């Protein structure tokens, strides 16, 4: 089987060039085609001689992704289904907002974590995405943003399918190619990793000095309640999470964003607001309250307007920095937690 060239380093490409009689600088040309120009075919690398293109074709492949299906919501949100080289499917979403053009991308095929409210959690995790597959989603969604809205992407959020911190190596490498001079040179300040809370990996982000935004899917701030909706809590207690977030903040000095879906009659009472408030006291943070997006076959509902208002009032009176995220693209199952490879 041919090797995927985007899995190897510039030095390894250089070695191949030298060993097969090509000039060394050809490796830099190829590298730049791959990561700067997002080229996915050796035949399109027009400054390479035909014989050099042939040499690369003989030894390597480029496992790119392609857009398989596109659906547009009445609110302008565009959901794409991407076909991977081994016929797996993942989804990504373009979300146009007033001042933002956000790409929401996937990190795994399916998810192993089974949060009870999430559509992706119902699909088993098949495999991790490679860094190039993550990068490709950004490129394809970015092309849509230009074509459809004449606006470049401003933000990237890892809020599609999968748990990014369980595919850490590839996610970090993808971020490198999205943000560095070697790649697309996007701003890391505009990238958000959303995690269900793997404390060990939150510490690793801090140790590695990864300067992206961190969003923690909290959804309940009492141990028992959180474990009942997010099984990952069993092995990552709130105390451990809190300590890892403190550690993260001490190193990275960036506010944490807590995500909190308001689930009707489950986590939307004043007791819950109090737990949330207490949890947020430990590290500088803001809270995004998220409207629940309905998922077929799941028995959860959005909180009532009255309860949401009381919840917000409780937190605001205590000075919490709160944002509210309404559903986007819900009519085409493109909203957070609805991605499940079906249309
Ligand atoms: N696995 C990571 C990132 C992908 S999920 C995580 O859990 O953080 C992205 C966000 O969508 C998370 O905050 C998740 O809790 C939220 N989400 C899942 N299902 C949802 C639903 N049905 N409605 C609203 N948000 C949902
Ligand atoms: Fe996985 Fe995130 Fe969905 Fe939980 S919310 S099942 S961690 S994708």
């Amino acid at each position: 089987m041919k090797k995927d060239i985007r899995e190897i380093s510039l030095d390894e490409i250089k070695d191949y060039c030298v060993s097969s009689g090509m000039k060394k600088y050809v490796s830099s040309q190829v590298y730049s085609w791959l990561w700067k120009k997002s080229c996915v075919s050796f035949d399109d690398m027009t400054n390479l001689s035909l014989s050099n293109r042939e040499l690369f074709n003989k030894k390597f492949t480029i496992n790119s992704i392609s857009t398989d299906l596109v659906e547009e919501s009445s609110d302008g949100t565009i959901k794409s289904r991407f076909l991977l080289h081994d016929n797996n499917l993942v989804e990504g979403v373009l979300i146009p907002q007033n001042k933002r053009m956000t790409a929401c991308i996937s990190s795994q095929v399916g998810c192993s974590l089974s949060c009870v409210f999430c559509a992706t959690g119902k699909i088993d995790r098949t495999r991790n995405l490679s860094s190039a597959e993550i990068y490709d989603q950004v490129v394809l969604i970015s092309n849509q943003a230009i074509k459809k809205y004449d606006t470049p992407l401003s933000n990237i959020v890892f809020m599609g399918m999968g748990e990014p911190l369980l595919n850490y190596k590839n996610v970090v490498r993808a971020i490198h190619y999205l943000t560095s001079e070697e790649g697309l040179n996007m701003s890391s300040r505009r990238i958000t990793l959303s995690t269900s809370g793997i404390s060990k990996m939150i510490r690793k982000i801090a140790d590695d000095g990864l300067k992206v935004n961190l969003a923690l899917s909290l959804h309940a701030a009492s141990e028992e309640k959180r474990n009942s909706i997010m099984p990952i809590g069993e092995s990552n207690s709130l105390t451990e999470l809190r300590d890892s977030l403190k550690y993260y903040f001490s190193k990275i000095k960036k506010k944490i964003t807590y995500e909190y879906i308001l689930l009707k009659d489950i986590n939307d009472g004043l007791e819950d607001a109090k737990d949330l408030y207490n949890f947020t006291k430990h590290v500088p943070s803001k809270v995004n309250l998220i409207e629940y997006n309905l998922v077929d076959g799941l028995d959860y509902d959005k909180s009532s307007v009255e309860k949401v208002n009381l919840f917000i009032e409780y937190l605001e009176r205590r000075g919490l920095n709160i944002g509210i995220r309404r559903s986007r693209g819900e009519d085409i199952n493109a909203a957070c937690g609805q991605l499940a490879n079906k249309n």
Side-chain angles (χ1 to χ4, degrees):
M1 239 186 24
K2 290 190 212 171
K3 196 163 188 141
D4 182 357
I5 192 162
R6 292 191 296 179
E7 288 290 307
I8 66 174
S9 68
L10 175 58
D11 278 343
E12 288 167 279
I13 303 177
K14 219 174 263 172
D15 290 345
Y16 177 64
C17 286
V18 173
S19 68
S20 53
M22 289 182 270
K23 294 269 189 288
K24 237 192 216 165
Y25 69 79
V26 176
S27 57
S28 308
Q29 289 176 324
V30 170
Y31 198 68
S32 157
W33 277 109
L34 293 173
W35 296 112
K36 250 187 192 319
K37 299 179 204 153
S38 315
C39 179
V40 291
S41 162
F42 295 116
D43 298 329
D44 294 338
M45 301 186 178
T46 46
N47 60 355
L48 263 66
S49 69
L50 286 176
S51 58
N52 283 355
R53 286 182 225 175
E54 198 43 48
L55 281 170
F56 274 98
N57 269 320
K58 230 168 66 190
K59 174 88 173 174
F60 297 107
T61 173
I62 303 175
N63 286 332
S64 57
I65 71 172
S66 57
T67 308
D68 177 59
L69 184 75
V70 177
E71 283 177 280
E72 199 173 325
S73 158
S74 53
D75 66 17
T77 300
I78 300 175
K79 177 169 84 166
S80 303
R81 188 168 75 182
F82 299 116
L83 178 67
L84 313 182
H85 70 95
D86 57 0
N87 287 331
N88 275 304
L89 297 166
V90 292
E91 293 179 328
V93 186
L94 172 65
I95 309 159
Q97 286 157 303
N98 286 348
K99 289 192 187 135
R100 286 183 179 191
M101 191 55 78
T102 304
C104 170
I105 56 172
S106 296
S107 56
Q108 299 180 310
V109 182
C111 184
S112 55
L113 297 184
S114 316
C115 303
V116 296
F117 44 79
C118 173
T120 310
K122 292 200 291 180
I123 319 177
D124 284 343
R125 189 206 75 115
T126 312
R127 70 167 172 88
N128 284 337
L129 294 190
S130 70
S131 31
E133 288 168 335
I134 295 169
Y135 167 100
D136 281 351
Q137 291 175 71
V138 175
V139 171
L140 293 175
I141 296 174
S142 161
N143 291 344
Q144 283 177 341
I146 302 281
K147 198 165 152 207
K148 176 85 193 181
Y149 296 108
D150 202 16
T151 310
L153 282 185
S154 61
N155 295 71
I156 299 168
V157 297
F158 283 81
M159 294 189 187
M161 303 167 83
E163 169 50 54
L165 297 194
L166 292 181
N167 182 15
Y168 186 74
K169 194 167 102 301
N170 293 350
V171 165
V172 169
R173 185 165 178 262
I175 291 172
H176 169 76
Y177 285 117
L178 293 173
T179 57
S180 75
E181 294 268 328
E182 285 187 346
L184 301 182
N185 216 359
M186 294 173 157
S187 164
S188 59
R189 284 179 294 122
R190 303 250 171 202
I191 298 182
T192 301
L193 279 186
S194 174
T195 178
S196 57
I198 321 279
S199 20
K200 193 172 98 194
M201 299 313 291
I202 293 173
R203 286 175 183 274
K204 172 117 178 86
I205 295 181
D207 288 336
D208 291 349
L210 189 67
K211 288 251 167 7
V212 294
N213 304 302
L214 184 64
L216 180 89
S217 297
L218 189 60
H219 308 322
S222 89
E223 205 71 76
E224 204 181 327
K225 202 168 271 192
R226 188 165 194 269
N227 292 354
S228 72
I229 54 175
M230 300 182 73
I232 184 69
E234 305 276 356
S235 50
N236 290 265
S237 70
L238 284 172
T239 316
E240 276 175 79
L241 271 184
R242 185 196 63 201
D243 291 347
S244 66
L245 293 171
K246 275 186 179 167
Y247 183 72
Y248 170 89
F249 186 80
S250 74
K251 295 256 177 175
I252 305 283
K253 308 267 186 306
K254 262 173 170 295
K255 271 190 190 171
I256 312 286
T257 301
Y258 294 114
E259 296 171 277
Y260 195 102
I261 306 173
L262 287 158
L263 295 163
K264 184 176 181 168
D265 298 337
I266 292 184
N267 63 356
D268 59 354
L270 288 183
E271 268 304 302
D272 303 299
K274 188 173 163 200
D275 290 338
L276 174 57
Y277 172 67
N278 286 334
F279 191 81
T280 58
K281 278 195 284 197
H282 301 290
V283 187
S285 60
K286 63 175 191 207
V287 173
N288 265 343
L289 295 175
I290 303 173
E291 186 181 0
Y292 181 60
N293 303 313
L294 301 180
V295 175
D296 278 351
L298 294 185
D299 223 6
Y300 298 93
D301 211 344
K302 298 171 194 278
S303 297
S304 67
V305 176
E306 296 75 34
K307 271 188 134 178
V308 172
N309 287 341
L310 286 173
F311 200 92
I312 293 173
E313 196 188 297
Y314 180 94
L315 297 172
E316 279 188 336
R317 244 192 289 130
R318 284 157 184 80
L320 228 67
N321 184 356
I322 298 180
I324 297 166
R325 194 158 81 215
R326 303 228 173 269
S327 301
R328 295 294 308 260
E330 206 179 2
D331 53 341
I332 55 164
N333 286 335
C336 278
Q338 291 185 320
L339 302 184
N341 290 337
K342 48 179 192 182
N343 45 13

